[in-house]
């Protein structure tokens, strides 16, 4: 199993330029590049060709762009921005070899029924999938474990991904989000595992359903998430895509970035190696 890290893990204590150097030094297989802050910041003083050159010789490769947001319930201008953002990610991804874009649906849309959400999310992901397909780019629906999020459980995201009926639309299974809104282990056991494109690895403080936030994430193995249940089920079903650690904890941003990514890797490998062969 290949291990990556999402740049959110060092959101408050590093840049893309530093993340590349540290991730490569520490032997991560993959990096997930943040498109809403670290990539544009990097491109103020670098070019896409600098990234091309880095990844041409590095062992660490780009796994995904994170995040295309908000994918759903936009007005016409907002929807066009999503199309433009995706097209940009596909073009840059084509150059650097990044073949997954993670999308996140909307928060705070007032009350929408599950049917309204499904119809809108399928409509948008089908439209975006057709734009991404010629680039060989896959799209993930990342459900988010909060009550106000329109797609907030694994089973809901998987139902929508399957309804899209596109080979290049699947799901990001973030263990924190899975835990935070009580996604069902039975749904994971029953799912088409080929539709799980990425696993985000993290853990969480022991909070009641719906009361946590991303900042309540803790090192993998140190919290209340049933990581052995999730990873064990994925292993049994033959999951073979990457597992990428993604933390958002302000306290970890107080650490030097290299120390943060060193601990994240050690903790991730300890948990993942109970279910998968590393490498
Ligand atoms: Zn995530």
């Amino acid at each position: 199993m290949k291990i990556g890290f999402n740049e959110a893990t060092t959101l408050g204590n590093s840049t893309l330029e530093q993340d590349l150097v540290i991730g490569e030094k520490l032997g991560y297989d993959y990096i997930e590049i943040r498109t809403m802050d670290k990539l544009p910041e990097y491109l103020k003083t670098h070019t896409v060709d600098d990234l091309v050159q880095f990844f041409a010789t590095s062992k660490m490769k780009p796994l995904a762009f994170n995040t295309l947001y908000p994918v759903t319930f936009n007005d016409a201008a907002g929807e066009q921005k999503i199309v433009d953002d995706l097209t940009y990610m596909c073009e840059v991804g084509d150059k650097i070899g990044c073949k997954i874009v993670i999308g996140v649906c909307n928060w705070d849309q007032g009350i929408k029924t599950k049917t309204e959400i499904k119809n809108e999310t399928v409509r948008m992901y089908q439209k975006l999938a057709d734009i991404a397909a010629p680039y060989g780019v896959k799209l993930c629906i990342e459900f988010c474990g909060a009550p106000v999020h329109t797609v907030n459980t694994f089973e809901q995201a998987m139902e929508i991904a399957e309804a899209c009926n596109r080979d290049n639309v699947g799901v990001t299974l973030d263990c924190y989000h899975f835990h935070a809104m009580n996604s069902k282990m039975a749904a994971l056991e029953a799912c088409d595992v080929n539709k799980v494109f990425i696993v985000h690895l993290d853990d969480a403080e022991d909070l009641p359903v719906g009361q946590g936030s991303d900042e309540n994430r803790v090192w993998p193995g140190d919290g209340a998430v049933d990581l052995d249940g999730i990873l064990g089920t994925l292993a049994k079903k033959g999951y073979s895509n990457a597992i990428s650690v993604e933390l958002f904890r302000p306290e970890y941003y107080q650490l030097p970035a290299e120390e943060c990514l060193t601990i994240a890797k050690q903790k991730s490998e300890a948990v993942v190696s109970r279910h998968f062969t590393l490498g």
Side-chain angles (χ1 to χ4, degrees), residues 241-254:
N241 298 328
I243 294 178
S244 182
V245 59
E246 184 189 38
L247 305 171
F248 279 92
R249 194 171 182 85
E251 170 185 338
Y252 300 164
Y253 298 152
Q254 302 304 312

Side-chain angles (χ1 to χ4, degrees), residues 176-276:
Y176 167 78
H177 292 313
F178 190 96
H179 169 86
M181 283 295 290
N182 246 352
S183 288
K184 294 186 181 68
M185 200 63 80
L188 182 58
E189 285 166 5
C191 82
D192 174 2
V193 78
N194 295 317
K195 285 279 178 200
V196 180
F197 291 167
I198 292 180
V199 169
H200 281 169
L201 184 65
D202 35 55
D203 215 323
E205 293 173 74
D206 187 15
L207 299 174
V209 171
Q211 290 192 14
S213 76
D214 282 324
E215 297 188 352
N216 296 110
R217 294 174 184 224
V218 297
W219 304 118
D222 285 8
V225 179
D226 182 9
L227 292 179
D228 286 319
I230 295 171
L231 298 179
T233 302
L234 285 166
K236 194 171 63 184
K237 292 181 68 70
Y239 178 78
S240 60
N241 298 328
I243 294 178
S244 182
V245 59
E246 184 189 38
L247 305 171
F248 279 92
R249 194 171 182 85
E251 170 185 338
Y252 300 164
Y253 298 152
Q254 302 304 312
L255 299 170
E258 183 167 335
E259 186 180 345
C260 186
L261 287 174
T262 298
I263 297 169
K265 187 162 182 282
Q266 288 168 349
K267 296 274 189 181
S268 297
E269 288 175 346
V271 172
V272 171
S273 65
R274 294 205 286 263
H275 305 282
F276 295 91

Side-chain angles (χ1 to χ4, degrees), residues 6 66 102 142-143 172-174 177 200 202 217 246 248:
N6 186 297
N66 196 148
I102 295 175
E142 181 159 352
F143 62 97
T172 302
L173 194 179
D174 183 309
H177 292 313
H200 281 169
D202 35 55
R217 294 174 184 224
E246 184 189 38
F248 279 92

Side-chain angles (χ1 to χ4, degrees), residues 14-79:
S14 187
T15 62
L16 175 53
E17 184 175 16
Q18 293 171 300
D19 286 342
L20 292 171
V21 173
I22 297 168
E24 176 77 357
K25 178 182 170 187
L26 296 179
Y28 277 96
D29 299 304
Y30 289 116
I31 180 171
E32 291 184 90
I33 297 170
R34 279 180 64 93
T35 52
M36 64 286 262
D37 38 49
K38 285 188 175 180
L39 179 61
E41 177 71 30
Y42 176 87
L43 291 175
K44 285 181 186 170
T45 52
H46 299 76
T47 64
V48 171
D49 282 341
D50 292 333
L51 282 177
V52 172
Q53 284 181 15
F54 175 83
F55 288 121
T57 57
S58 64
K59 287 196 183 126
M60 182 176 72
K61 299 300 178 191
L63 176 63
F65 287 126
N66 196 148
T67 308
L68 187 66
Y69 173 82
V71 173
T72 48
F73 295 108
N74 292 297
D75 60 16
E79 188 165 319

